[in-house]
Amino acid sequence: MIVSIESINKYFNGEPLLRDVSLTIEEKETVGLIGSNGCGKTTLLNIITGSEGFDKAADGSGSISVDPRAVVGYLRQNSGLESHRTIEEEMRSCFERLISTKERMDILSRQMLTAQGEELEMISHEYSELNAYFEARDGYRIDVRIKQVLSGMGFGGTDTSQIVDTLSGGEKTRLALAKLLLEEPDLLILDEPTNHLDLNTIMWLEEHIKSYKGSVLVVSHDRYFIDRICTRICEIEHGHIYSYKGDYSAYLVQRKMRDERMIKEYEAQQKEIAKLEDYIARNKVRASTAKMAKSRQHMLDRIERLDKPSSFIRPPKIDLCYDIEPTKDIVKVLQCPLEVGEGEQKRLLIKDLSFNVRRGEHIGIIGPNGIGKSSILKLIQGLIPHDGGSVSWGNNVKISYFDQEHKAIDRHNTVIGEIQRKNPRLSDGDARNVLASVLIRGEDVFKPVSVISGGERAKLYFAIMALNRGNVLVLDEPTNHLDMMTKEVLEDALAAFEGTIILVSHDRYLLNKVATRILEVSPEGVKSYDGNFDAYYREYTLQQQALQAQAEQQKKAAYEQNKQQSHKSKQQRALDAKRREQIRQLEKKIELTEELISKLEKEISDPAVASDYSAINEKCSQLDEARQTLEQDMELWAELADKV
C-alpha cells in the first residue's frame, strides 16, 4: 500500500470541503479522481503530498500515511520547470546516479590497462558490480529513453540545447511532465496532465501510463483519458469520496445504480421527516400530546440528514431540431490551401484542404495543436479567405455556428437582451422560459453577458442555436467550460440530431459518442476514417504498433550489440592484460638469454677453452641453442606487442 487515508476532514472558513474522507492507493494501480469544480480534488492531492494540512474529527480521529520507502512525484496543474539548464541537461539530471556510475566505470576501465595481479582482480570485480547495476537499470539506453519521452511529449524536433527558461508556459509544463515520467516515482500524481497536450501526445501519454510500473493518481476532466488508463475511479461529491472499481465507463454504470439507491433512501428519509414534522406541528400545542411531540422532535433532531442526490438536480435541456431538409451533398471543399496571418507573417498551415460532407453525417475534425482546425470551420463558412481551391455548399443549407470564442454574442448586452436580439419576436416570458431550460434563471437573465461564466455563455449560445433551428451544426470546441452534467446533455442532443454536424473538439469522449466519421488534418492535407473515435483509434493504434515493433526491434539489436561490445571489451581488456604480462616475462627471458649468449661468446674466445675440443663443442652447442631461443622469443615478443 502506497497511501492510506483514514477519516480526514478539511474546513475552509468554517465550512467543510472534505468530510470523513478515507482512501487507499495500492501498488501498481491507476486511480482517477473526479468531481465538480471546487469539490476539493486539488486540495486532496496537496494533503497527500504534505503541502497542505488536514483537520481531525472532534474525537481526534483522522490520519494519513505514505510508505516512507516510496518516492512521490507530483505534477501540479499548469506547473512547469524554471531552469537555466538546457533541455538535455534537465532531462539527464534524472539519471545522475547512473551517469556517475558510468563515469566510475570509465575510470576503472582505464586503470585496468596498467593494473596487474591482485590490483587488476580488485578493479575487475568493482567494474563487474557497477556494470551489473548499470545494466539492470537500463543505463545503456539513457539517451534512447530521453529521446523517446521527449518525442512522445511533443519535443521530437526541438533543439535540446535550448535553455528551458526560453520555452513557453505550455512547453515548460510538458517538459516538467516529461522529466517526471523519466524519474519514474513510485507514486505519480498528475493534476490535469492533458492540458497543453495535442491529441497525439495525449494518446502517447495514455500508452505510457498503461505500462507504468508504479502507481498513478490522476485528476482529469478528460473522460476518454481516464477511461483508457484507470483501474479505479474515486469521486468527490458533497465532501465525501466514493470509490468505484474499473474504468470511467464502469463508473457510470455503478454511479447510476448508486444514484437510484440513494434516491430511494433520500425519498424514504424525506417521508419520515415529513411524517415527524406533521406529527409535531399537530400535537406540540396540545397539553395531552405535547410530551409525545417533544419526543418526536428529539427523534427528528437525531436524524442525520442525507444530502440531496445530484440526480434530483434538474439538468439543462438542449433540443436541437431543424425544419428544412437540405440537399444530399452538404459541402464540398476542393484543393483549398489554409493560410493564416498577413504579409510577411503569412504562413501555410495545410497545403491541400479537400473533403466533402454528406447529409446526416456527423464529422469530427482532429489534428495537432496549431494546425488550424478552428480556421477550417471559418474557411468553409467564408469567414476567412482562401487563395485557390473551391468551397461549394448545397441548397437549403442553414448553418448554426458555435464559435468557441463566443464572438457572435454581444458581451455588453444582457443575457435576455441578447437572446431577444437574435430572435426579435421572442417575448420576455418566452425568452425567460428558453433561458430557464439551460438553467439561466431569475435575476441572472438580466446580468451582462460579460460577467456570466464561460459555461453560462456556452449555454446561452446553445439556447440561441436551438431557436435558430439550423440543419447543419458547425461546432468549435463546444464542451469547453461545461460541467459534466451539461456535457452529457449536449452529447445526447448532438448524438440524436438527425441533421449534419461538422465538429472540432479535443473531447474524445464527445467525438466517440457523436462522430460517424473522423477527418484527421495534417500539413499535407486530410485523411478520412469511417466510424467514431474508437474506430479511428484502432486503426491509428495498429499503425503505431507496427512502427513501435520496428523501433523496438532496432533498439533491441542496438542494445544487444552494445551489450556484446561491452562484454567483448571486458574480455579484450583481460586478454590485453595477460599479453602485457607475457611480454614482461619474455623481456626478462630475452635479457637473460642475451646475457647467456654474451657469456658463451667470451668463453669460446678463451684460449684454454678453445684448445679443449669437447669443451668448445659443448659451448658452441649451447650458443646455437641460446641464439635459437632468442630468435623465437623475439618473434613471439613482436607478435604480442602488435596485438596490445
Side-chain angles (χ1 to χ4, degrees):
M1 186 181 298
I2 301 289
V3 175
S4 176
I5 298 174
E6 293 289 340
S7 304
I8 67 168
N9 298 275
K10 184 66 178 180
Y11 294 89
F12 282 104
N13 298 323
E15 293 296 321
L17 179 65
L18 300 174
R19 296 186 290 176
D20 195 28
V21 166
S22 296
L23 172 68
T24 59
I25 301 175
E26 304 292 340
E27 293 182 1
K28 297 182 180 180
E29 74 166 339
T30 301
V31 179
L33 185 61
I34 64 173
S36 60
N37 291 339
C39 71
K41 300 186 294 294
T42 299
T43 298
L44 183 57
L45 298 187
N46 290 335
I47 290 172
I48 292 173
T49 56
S51 59
E52 195 167 332
F54 62 89
D55 301 304
K56 293 189 175 184
D59 61 1
S61 62
S63 65
I64 177 170
S65 62
V66 179
D67 187 342
R69 298 167 299 176
V71 176
V72 178
Y74 181 20
L75 181 74
R76 289 173 171 81
Q77 190 175 167
N78 299 322
S79 64
L81 296 172
E82 297 291 338
S83 174
H84 297 295
R85 292 191 287 195
T86 66
I87 293 174
E88 182 178 4
E89 288 170 343
E90 195 66 55
M91 296 302 101
R92 289 181 69 81
S93 69
C94 302
F95 304 100
E96 287 179 349
R97 186 174 178 185
L98 282 175
I99 290 171
S100 63
T101 298
K102 185 63 170 65
E103 290 172 350
R104 176 61 180 164
M105 288 168 61
D106 291 340
I107 292 171
L108 293 173
S109 178
R110 290 192 295 270
Q111 290 177 348
M112 278 193 282
L113 296 175
T114 56
Q116 56 182 312
E118 187 175 329
E119 182 187 8
L120 178 61
E121 186 178 341
M122 290 175 62
I123 293 172
S124 298
H125 178 71
E126 183 183 355
Y127 183 93
S128 297
E129 287 188 338
L130 292 177
N131 189 61
Y133 169 84
F134 193 73
E135 284 188 359
R137 284 151 185 82
D138 217 5
Y140 288 109
R141 294 184 64 249
I142 287 175
D143 291 334
V144 174
R145 290 160 68 185
I146 290 173
K147 186 176 180 180
Q148 283 178 334
V149 171
L150 285 179
S151 178
M153 292 305 298
F155 291 97
T158 303
D159 181 6
T160 55
S161 64
Q162 186 175 351
I163 302 299
V164 171
D165 279 346
T166 64
L167 300 175
S168 68
E171 288 172 329
K172 287 179 180 178
T173 299
R174 284 193 285 121
L175 195 65
L177 178 54
K179 184 178 180 181
L180 197 58
L181 294 176
L182 284 171
E183 290 171 346
E184 297 183 340
D186 300 298
L187 174 59
L188 180 63
I189 300 179
L190 304 174
D191 193 356
E192 297 294 352
T194 58
N195 290 354
H196 309 291
L197 304 186
D198 62 23
L199 190 56
N200 286 338
T201 305
I202 293 173
M203 292 191 292
W204 178 89
L205 181 61
E206 286 171 353
E207 295 302 321
H208 190 88
I209 290 178
K210 284 168 67 176
S211 61
Y212 192 72
K213 296 176 182 178
S215 301
V216 181
L217 175 61
V218 58
V219 169
S220 179
H221 285 92
D222 188 333
R223 295 163 295 166
Y224 197 93
F225 178 72
I226 58 178
D227 199 31
R228 290 268 301 156
I229 67 170
C230 290
T231 55
R232 184 156 59 100
I233 302 293
C234 291
E235 181 180 26
I236 298 178
E237 183 182 17
H238 301 307
H240 299 291
I241 194 164
Y242 302 93
S243 180
Y244 304 86
K245 291 182 179 179
D247 55 20
Y248 186 80
S249 297
Y251 149 78
L252 289 176
V253 175
Q254 296 172 69
R255 170 64 193 268
K256 184 178 180 181
M257 294 171 61
R258 186 178 74 86
D259 282 349
E260 292 173 351
R261 185 183 72 252
M262 289 181 68
I263 288 171
K264 291 179 180 178
E265 292 173 354
Y266 179 78
E267 289 176 338
Q269 188 183 72
Q270 290 301 303
K271 288 180 180 178
E272 177 65 18
I273 290 172
K275 184 178 177 182
L276 288 171
E277 288 176 338
D278 178 65
Y279 182 90
I280 294 166
R282 286 187 293 104
N283 293 281
K284 66 180 179 179
V285 295
R286 295 166 55 187
S288 60
T289 57
K291 190 174 181 180
M292 291 296 294
K294 190 174 182 180
S295 175
R296 294 290 197 281
Q297 183 64 55
H298 289 317
M299 291 174 60
L300 182 63
D301 294 339
R302 286 196 300 270
I303 291 177
E304 187 175 344
R305 305 291 179 110
L306 298 174
D307 293 318
K308 189 175 184 179
S310 57
S311 304
F312 268 50
I313 302 172
R314 188 169 71 87
K317 182 180 179 182
I318 301 174
D319 189 11
L320 300 169
C321 300
Y322 61 94
D323 302 313
I324 305 171
E325 194 73 34
T327 53
K328 200 169 186 180
D329 292 315
I330 298 297
V331 63
K332 291 184 178 179
V333 182
L334 184 63
Q335 296 180 336
C336 286
L338 178 62
E339 297 174 308
V340 295
E342 296 180 357
E344 294 181 357
Q345 302 298 321
K346 194 172 186 178
R347 57 194 178 94
L348 180 67
L349 295 181
I350 301 176
K351 183 178 179 181
D352 178 5
L353 192 62
S354 296
F355 64 92
N356 62 79
V357 180
R358 296 171 69 83
R359 185 177 64 215
E361 282 194 308
H362 292 182
I363 304 296
I365 299 176
I366 64 173
N369 291 347
I371 195 64
K373 298 183 293 295
S374 297
S375 297
I376 291 173
L377 300 186
K378 294 174 182 177
L379 183 147
I380 64 175
Q381 294 180 84
L383 300 176
I384 60 174
H386 56 91
D387 188 11
S390 63
V391 178
S392 55
W393 288 87
N395 295 324
N396 296 327
V397 169
K398 186 178 182 182
I399 297 174
S400 285
Y401 176 40
F402 182 95
D403 173 16
Q404 66 166 312
E405 297 175 351
H406 305 158
K407 288 184 177 179
I409 297 178
D410 182 359
R411 299 198 177 200
H412 300 292
N413 204 351
T414 63
V415 173
I416 192 169
E418 185 59 17
I419 199 168
Q420 288 178 316
R421 183 176 73 87
K422 296 286 187 181
N423 300 271
R425 297 183 179 181
L426 208 61
S427 68
D428 287 353
D430 289 339
R432 295 191 70 152
N433 287 335
V434 171
L435 292 170
S437 70
V438 293
L439 308 184
I440 302 177
R441 307 187 188 93
E443 295 302 310
D444 288 345
V445 303
F446 299 112
K447 289 181 178 179
V449 174
S450 59
V451 304
I452 63 176
S453 68
E456 287 172 321
R457 278 197 294 273
K459 291 175 186 177
L460 171 60
Y461 225 125
F462 296 139
I464 293 171
M465 289 179 68
L467 292 171
N468 188 45
R469 301 182 71 83
N471 51 32
V472 176
L473 306 182
V474 179
L475 308 171
D476 189 6
E477 299 290 356
T479 56
N480 284 1
H481 310 296
L482 295 184
D483 57 76
M484 202 71 77
M485 181 186 295
T486 307
K487 280 184 182 181
E488 292 172 358
V489 170
L490 178 62
E491 287 164 357
D492 290 339
L494 294 177
F497 184 65
E498 295 180 356
T500 306
I501 297 175
I502 304 173
L503 165 69
V504 166
S505 180
H506 285 89
D507 190 337
R508 294 169 296 161
Y509 207 86
L510 170 70
L511 288 168
N512 205 44
K513 193 168 182 178
V514 173
T516 59
R517 185 156 63 98
I518 299 292
L519 298 182
E520 182 183 33
V521 294
S522 69
E524 297 303 315
V526 180
K527 189 173 182 181
S528 177
Y529 297 82
D530 289 332
N532 62 3
F533 188 85
D534 273 348
Y536 158 79
Y537 190 77
R538 281 192 293 270
E539 188 167 344
Y540 171 87
T541 302
L542 289 174
Q543 295 172 357
Q544 292 301 113
Q545 285 174 344
L547 292 173
Q548 187 176 1
Q550 183 180 358
E552 286 294 330
Q553 190 174 3
Q554 292 173 347
K555 285 188 291 184
K556 186 177 180 181
Y559 175 75
E560 290 298 329
Q561 183 180 3
N562 192 8
K563 186 176 179 181
Q564 186 177 1
Q565 287 176 346
S566 174
H567 183 64
K568 183 179 178 181
S569 178
K570 287 169 60 180
Q571 289 182 327
Q572 186 67 42
R573 284 193 294 271
L575 187 58
D576 286 345
K578 184 178 179 181
R579 285 170 178 157
R580 283 192 296 273
E581 181 64 25
Q582 287 178 310
I583 288 172
R584 282 192 289 270
Q585 295 297 329
L586 274 174
E587 287 173 346
K588 291 179 180 179
K589 185 181 177 184
I590 288 170
E591 184 180 351
L592 292 173
T593 304
E594 287 176 338
E595 290 176 356
L596 175 62
I597 291 172
S598 178
K599 179 183 177 184
L600 289 171
E601 287 176 342
K602 287 180 180 180
E603 289 177 347
I604 290 172
S605 301
D606 187 349
V609 175
S611 61
D612 188 341
Y613 174 78
S614 60
I616 192 69
N617 190 42
E618 182 181 355
K619 296 295 181 184
C620 286
S621 297
Q622 290 176 355
L623 181 60
D624 289 340
E625 185 179 343
R627 285 173 175 168
Q628 187 176 358
T629 300
L630 178 62
E631 184 178 354
Q632 291 173 350
D633 288 345
M634 288 296 290
E635 288 179 359
L636 180 58
W637 181 91
E639 183 181 343
L640 290 172
D642 288 340
K643 292 180 179 179
V644 174

